[in-house]
């Protein structure tokens, strides 16, 4: 199985901050990397696929990038509705695997 | 607008079989993979497996011996059965659509999730 390691596991930030979350794959996955946002009691919501392609209607303050097997989700200016848990997922091979999540809360 | 809705019992006894269905509306079953994912309380996401329109399945090896995913195209529905459940199977179970469309695939539509508790 491909292991996905996210960091940090949690972070505290203020509205307007730039936030960066990283995800490292245990082997090459090309750009088969997705990012999801999950709020309490809700299903995950797709933010970014193909490592850097923004899903329809997702605000442009979200962006994704890749460097080898390292992937980054960046929120350029954190908004109140962005406080949530973020997960990466690889779809390069089965079983599909997720990172352990990064909880973003209010400082 | 595509919508997915899970249904099934919220309580299952240990050693029995968990059975859930996911009804898809607003779009076809063809051309997609239909997935089950679960999330134990306070934990992360675990992929269970998926099925395509033709009935081809792929399962997580960690659950493969206990899991069956099936599809009923006449009802626009797919289902999950998990045998010999224990307390460790208590989780919110999500159904979701995986789609590539020429790009790396992603889970673009999700059901709201259903909490299944394994308890005597």
């Amino acid at each position: 199985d491909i292991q996905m390691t996210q960091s940090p596991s949690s972070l505290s930030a203020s509205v307007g901050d730039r936030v960066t979350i990283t995800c490292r794959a245990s082997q090459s996955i090309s750009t088969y990397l997705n990012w999801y946002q999950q709020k309490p009691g809700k299903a995950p919501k797709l933010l970014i696929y193909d490592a850097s392609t923004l899903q329809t209607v997702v605000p442009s303050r979200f962006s994704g990038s890749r460097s080898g097997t390292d992937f980054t989700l960046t929120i350029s200016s954190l908004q109140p509705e962005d406080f949530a848990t973020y997960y990466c997922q690889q779809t390069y091979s089965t079983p599909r695997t997720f990172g352990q999540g990064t909880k973003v809360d209010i400082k | 607008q595509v919508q997915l809705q899970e249904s099934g019992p919220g309580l299952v006894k240990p050693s029995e079989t968990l059975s859930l269905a996911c009804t898809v509306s607003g779009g076809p079953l063809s051309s997609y993979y239909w997935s089950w994912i679960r999330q134990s309380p306070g934990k992360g996401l675990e992929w269970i497996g998926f099925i395509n329109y033709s009935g081809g399945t792929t399962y997580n090896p960690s659950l493969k011996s206990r899991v069956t995913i099936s599809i009923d195209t006449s009802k626009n529905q797919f289902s999950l059965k998990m045998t010999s459940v224990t307390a460790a199977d208590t989780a919110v179970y999500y159904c979701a659509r995986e789609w590539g469309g020429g790009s790396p695939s992603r889970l673009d539509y999700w059901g709201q999730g259903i909490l299944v508790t394994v308890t005597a």
Side-chain angles (χ1 to χ4, degrees), chain A residues 1-101:
Chain A
D1 299 5
I2 297 175
Q3 306 304 315
M4 307 301 295
T5 304
Q6 267 184 255
S7 61
S9 55
S10 65
L11 65 91
S12 295
S14 302
V15 172
D17 284 353
R18 181 181 183 89
V19 168
T20 298
I21 298 167
T22 62
C23 179
R24 173 169 289 175
S26 61
Q27 66 183 73
S28 175
I29 58 170
S30 185
T31 58
Y32 288 70
L33 190 284
N34 306 317
W35 289 99
Y36 301 89
Q37 176 194 67
Q38 186 179 35
K39 296 183 179 179
K42 300 293 187 181
K45 169 190 169 185
L46 177 66
L47 296 177
I48 288 170
Y49 63 94
D50 195 13
S52 60
T53 303
L54 216 58
Q55 174 68 342
T56 310
V57 308
V58 171
S60 59
R61 63 181 180 273
F62 291 93
S63 64
S65 64
R66 170 205 177 197
S67 176
T69 58
D70 292 338
F71 299 84
T72 301
L73 172 69
T74 300
I75 310 172
S76 60
S77 177
L78 198 67
Q79 297 302 300
E81 60 269 29
D82 301 336
F83 291 98
T85 300
Y86 294 84
Y87 293 93
C88 61
Q89 180 214 19
Q90 64 81 21
T91 56
Y92 183 80
S93 66
T94 58
R96 308 301 198 215
T97 47
F98 294 86
Q100 76 275 25

Side-chain angles (χ1 to χ4, degrees), chain B residues 71-88:
Chain B
I71 193 165
D72 186 337
T73 56
S74 67
K75 294 182 180 178
N76 246 41
Q77 196 174 76
F78 63 106
S79 301
L80 170 70
K81 289 191 188 299
M82 181 180 293
T83 61
S84 305
V85 298
T86 70

Side-chain angles (χ1 to χ4, degrees), chain B residues 17-37:
Chain B
T17 297
L18 177 160
S19 295
L20 297 175
C22 181
T23 302
V24 180
S25 58
L29 291 187
S30 57
S31 304
Y32 305 100
Y33 284 92
W34 300 97
S35 307
W36 288 99
I37 298 105

Side-chain angles (χ1 to χ4, degrees), chain B residues 58-76:
Chain B
T58 302
Y59 302 122
N60 191 325
S62 67
L63 297 168
K64 186 175 183 177
S65 64
R66 299 193 293 127
V67 166
T68 302
I69 299 175
S70 58
I71 193 165
D72 186 337
T73 56
S74 67
K75 294 182 180 178
N76 246 41

